[in-house]
Amino acid sequence: MTKDKRVLVGMSGGIDSSATCIMLQEQGYEVVGVTMRTWDIPSHFSTPGQEQPDEILEAQAVAARLGIEHHVADVREEFRKVIVQYFIDEYMRGRTPNPCVLCNPLFKERILCEWADRTGCQWIATGHYCQIEKRNGWFYIVTGDDATKDQSYFLWKLPQEILSRMLFPLGGMTKDKVREYLAHKGFEAKAKGGESMEICFIDKDYREFLREHCPDIDERIGPGWFVDSKGVKLGQHKGFAYYTIGQRKGLGIALGEPAYVLKINPEKNTVMLGDADQLRTEYMLAEPPVAPDIEELLACPNLSVRIRYRSRPIPCQVVRLPENGYLLVRFAVEASAITPGQSAVFYDGNRVLGGSFIASQQGIRKISAEHAPLFDKKR
């Protein structure tokens, strides 16, 4: 079979990647599978003495049953250096990371491309619930038909050279339909399988993970002060890395009324608390964007933004600040809990125009007041 009909599938041994392999076979592709061994967790090993994690054994079993070539990529050391270290570093900066956003372009899809070249595959495919559209010479991520499983939010950093090779066979299906399809193809037990973890390398509270993999974290940070919006000390906290914007539970302080984390200042090791109203804002600052066509993003009349996974898109306008290339976002309705380190993903309807990491909101009132005329000029 020619190279243009060979496709490399990232196989986890689960529902989605297994269905992806079967569908592509039915579409006439010669499927090659690769499973990445990224991070070992005790719960990934079902039996004593087991040398390979469950997902590799399950992927190998599926590959054998389908008669497809299968490879294992042991990338644990690189994963630790790139993705896990990023996760730790972001919390140490007082930010809240979303490792999946970085993992896809810098790690998983990049490795898929390398293995595709090595195995003579033109295409790479995954079980993500999203789609691809080519428009004006650019490749765009488009939301999946199953709104409850759509994963377009995580893929905004994928570069054009990867998108041009990507196939997403599940993008036009719902999860229930995928389960039905898999059962119909004779994989009844797998079709009833559970969902994977949102962060694949953490099976506990992230604070425990930080302490385990950064043993001197409490020495480096130490206790600090909870403060209110006026800087008045309210009590001690355990260290700024253990908190995130919008957090209400587990603060370890009783103020007689619900309190939320409003801001984190890693330089001063302070965590600002306040009420829910103080979390709301009309503006947001985001780092310089990544987009196929940045001018299209800036000029889009029907722009919306998602500021966290599973959140609803919020209609907005954006301007690019001339001094640093950051985006100033003005929401059509107030947003809540703007969290530095998370992703702001911009949409025109169901098409991803680009994305950015949410920046520190320090000085946002002054910045928005100074640059408000830029929005008026766009009208």
Side-chain angles (χ1 to χ4, degrees):
M1 189 172 290
T2 60
K3 180 178 178 180
D4 63 356
K5 292 299 288 185
R6 277 175 65 87
V7 56
L8 184 76
V9 177
M11 294 183 66
S12 68
I15 296 168
D16 299 329
S17 64
S18 300
T20 294
C21 290
I22 299 171
M23 288 181 189
L24 290 171
Q25 277 191 323
E26 290 186 333
Q27 292 170 20
Y29 288 93
E30 181 180 1
V31 176
V32 179
V34 64
T35 304
M36 298 178 205
R37 187 173 183 177
T38 56
W39 192 262
D40 290 348
I41 292 176
S43 61
H44 292 176
F45 296 79
S46 298
T47 59
Q50 184 174 316
E51 295 185 359
Q52 301 260 44
D54 291 342
E55 67 173 7
I56 290 178
L57 299 181
E58 290 176 14
Q60 289 174 333
V62 171
R65 185 170 169 183
L66 296 177
I68 65 177
E69 178 184 336
H70 181 266
H71 304 272
V72 175
D74 190 338
V75 290
R76 285 175 288 179
E77 184 61 25
E78 186 179 1
F79 186 83
R80 182 190 64 79
K81 290 179 179 178
V82 177
I83 304 303
V84 175
Q85 193 60 51
Y86 154 79
F87 182 84
I88 294 170
D89 290 346
E90 283 289 89
Y91 273 111
M92 296 297 283
R93 295 173 61 197
R95 292 160 60 96
T96 303
N98 192 324
C100 297
V101 168
L102 204 68
C103 187
N104 282 297
L106 291 187
F107 201 80
K108 288 186 176 178
E109 269 69 10
R110 177 180 60 78
I111 291 173
L112 283 179
C113 281
E114 292 173 359
W115 274 85
D117 293 339
R118 189 181 307 177
T119 56
C121 295
Q122 174 65 36
W123 305 100
I124 57 178
T126 65
H128 284 99
Y129 285 82
C130 58
Q131 303 173 82
I132 288 184
E133 173 186 313
K134 188 175 183 181
R135 183 185 297 201
N136 300 325
W138 300 106
F139 292 91
Y140 291 90
I141 295 288
V142 175
T143 59
D145 283 0
D146 188 338
T148 65
K149 294 296 179 182
D150 168 53
Q151 293 168 300
S152 61
Y153 177 86
F154 295 117
L155 301 178
W156 62 267
K157 279 185 68 66
L158 285 180
Q160 290 290 300
E161 58 267 26
I162 290 181
L163 288 177
S164 66
R165 301 178 68 177
M166 291 293 304
L167 301 175
F168 296 121
L170 308 188
M173 302 179 69
T174 65
K175 184 75 174 195
D176 288 342
K177 289 296 183 183
V178 171
R179 290 183 185 273
E180 290 176 13
Y181 172 82
L182 206 54
H184 179 69
K185 295 299 177 180
F187 290 80
E188 293 89 349
K190 187 166 293 296
K192 298 176 181 178
E195 300 286 355
S196 58
M197 296 180 295
E198 287 199 7
I199 299 181
C200 65
F201 55 91
I202 293 183
D203 63 350
K204 60 186 77 172
D205 185 274
Y206 84 89
R207 299 162 184 84
E208 293 180 42
F209 184 89
L210 290 177
R211 289 192 181 101
E212 180 180 348
H213 296 279
C214 187
D216 62 345
I217 186 172
D218 291 323
E219 295 176 12
R220 292 167 60 183
I221 296 178
W225 291 102
F226 284 120
V227 298
D228 65 15
S229 57
K230 297 179 180 179
V232 175
K233 294 178 181 178
L234 303 173
Q236 278 201 320
H237 62 67
K238 297 178 181 180
F240 68 81
Y242 300 134
Y243 305 90
T244 187
I245 304 298
Q247 180 181 340
R248 181 174 68 88
K249 296 181 179 180
L251 297 178
I253 186 172
L255 299 177
E257 56 187 7
Y260 299 80
V261 174
L262 304 181
K263 293 180 181 180
I264 295 171
N265 188 324
E267 288 76 24
K268 296 181 179 179
N269 194 11
T270 58
V271 175
M272 184 184 295
L273 302 181
D275 59 35
D277 286 340
Q278 291 174 284
L279 279 173
R280 299 188 181 99
T281 180
E282 184 184 355
Y283 290 93
M284 174 181 72
L285 199 61
E287 295 175 5
V290 172
D293 185 344
I294 291 178
E295 294 305 319
E296 182 189 18
L297 189 159
L298 295 172
C300 179
N302 300 307
L303 194 66
S304 62
V305 62
R306 289 166 66 180
I307 58 173
R308 60 182 64 88
Y309 182 46
R310 299 191 188 281
S311 69
R312 291 184 178 182
I314 305 170
C316 68
Q317 293 178 297
V318 296
V319 294
R320 185 163 45 180
L321 301 184
E323 59 268 27
N324 55 17
Y326 277 43
L327 294 182
L328 181 61
V329 182
R330 182 163 72 180
F331 302 110
V333 294
E334 286 187 328
S336 180
I338 305 299
T339 307
Q342 291 286 290
S343 291
V345 183
F346 298 94
Y347 293 80
D348 178 11
N350 64 352
R351 182 168 57 108
V352 176
L353 295 188
S356 174
F357 287 113
I358 297 174
S360 167
Q361 304 302 296
Q362 187 72 27
I364 186 66
R365 289 185 180 179
K366 180 180 179 182
I367 294 170
S368 59
E370 289 178 352
H371 294 89
L374 293 177
F375 291 101
D376 297 329
K377 290 180 180 179
K378 294 182 66 174
R379 292 179 178 176

